[in-house]
Amino acid sequence: MLYVRNRTIRVSPSLLAANFATMGHDAAGALAAGGDRLHIDVMDGRFVPNITMGMPMVSALRAHLGADAYLDCHLMIVEPERYVESFARAGANQISIHVEASPHLHRTIQLIKATGAHVGVAVNPATPLSSIYEIIDQIDTVLLMTVNPGFGGQKYIPQSTKKITEVRAFIDQHGLSAHIQVDGGIALDTLATVVQAGVDDVVVGSAFFRADGNLTAAHQALQAQIG
Ligand code: DX5
Ligand code: ZN
């Protein structure tokens, strides 16, 4: 958790940047160091060019970390509705799907809700926010992509800031409960900007799993950026 004046900002360490050979250890370490939720990037080589991890990793982490760990699964896959139930069974607490990958978004949201998992809807940098306004009152998280999905370690796209401000205003004006999560290029140089623009949850990959492996120092460095 990060603290800024009268707000708290959730930190979701992205396991894509962890060491896959020591995943259980890294995931537990991220939570011990102050991470609130573990962000699990699922990529299929179709919706995005990369291939990463799937349900077996989610169930292995659930078994290793116990019931309290919050597993936030970001599905960057085509036809996500085919896998919603499997991810929920594997132990996902939240399932986020891409608006671009889900033509029957309303139906897929209901499918996720029926599993009992929280619902996130992700929006790519080039996708307008109007694509989610019809369903935003039904979801827990708006996942704004601040890079093009597919890879960790990319640079924050500056135009994203305007989008954060816009969705913050929409949520506040309509008295909605959806949280705003940002994903991609969130690091020491961009954190203050997104916090200022009104996010509730930051996904942090390469800036969290740093080369020196000191996750507590990584978390403290983030906090130091915002006071
Ligand atoms: C990108 C993924 C991100 C990624 C973020 O497609 O959705 O979650 O892990 O990594 P960083 O923080 O390194 O940009
Ligand atoms: Zn992600």
Side-chain angles (χ1 to χ4, degrees), residues 26-211:
D26 287 17
L31 293 173
D36 297 285
R37 297 178 167 191
L38 295 170
H39 185 83
I40 299 174
D41 285 312
V42 178
M43 305 188 191
D44 65 352
R46 301 279 312 283
F47 181 67
V48 290
N50 202 359
I51 299 180
T52 54
M53 44 196 156
M55 296 83 81
M57 180 63 87
V58 177
S59 50
L61 286 170
R62 173 61 69 218
H64 182 73
L65 299 169
D68 288 348
Y70 192 104
L71 304 179
D72 176 20
C73 296
H74 175 193
L75 305 192
M76 286 161 275
I77 64 176
V78 298
E79 299 175 31
E81 59 281 355
R82 293 176 58 200
Y83 296 98
V84 161
E85 276 152 7
S86 308
F87 276 97
R89 254 197 315 274
N93 297 93
Q94 174 158 268
I95 299 176
S96 295
I97 52 168
H98 268 263
V99 59
E100 303 86 2
S102 202
H104 303 290
L105 186 59
H106 183 275
R107 182 188 290 152
T108 310
I109 289 168
Q110 306 315 313
L111 195 62
I112 299 172
K113 278 182 188 288
T115 70
H118 288 145
V119 184
V121 173
V123 182
N124 276 339
T127 304
L129 286 170
S130 56
S131 61
I132 57 164
Y133 284 158
E134 299 302 326
I135 50 82
I136 190 171
D137 60 331
Q138 296 164 44
I139 66 177
D140 301 286
T141 299
V142 175
L143 169 44
L144 288 182
M145 291 309 302
T146 45
V147 298
N148 286 298
F151 302 94
Q154 301 182 77
K155 282 247 160 301
Y156 179 84
I157 297 174
Q159 288 81 358
S160 310
T161 311
K162 191 169 76 52
K163 254 171 138 177
I164 301 168
T165 311
E166 183 185 325
V167 77
R168 173 83 276 153
F170 189 93
I171 286 170
D172 292 349
Q173 275 159 22
H174 294 82
L176 304 175
S177 58
H179 286 137
I180 305 173
Q181 183 180 54
V182 284
D183 186 7
I186 308 303
L188 298 181
D189 57 337
T190 51
L191 180 68
T193 302
V194 300
V195 167
Q196 176 78 31
V199 301
D200 303 294
D201 182 321
V202 289
V203 176
V204 190
S206 33
F208 203 90
F209 293 95
R210 312 188 306 183

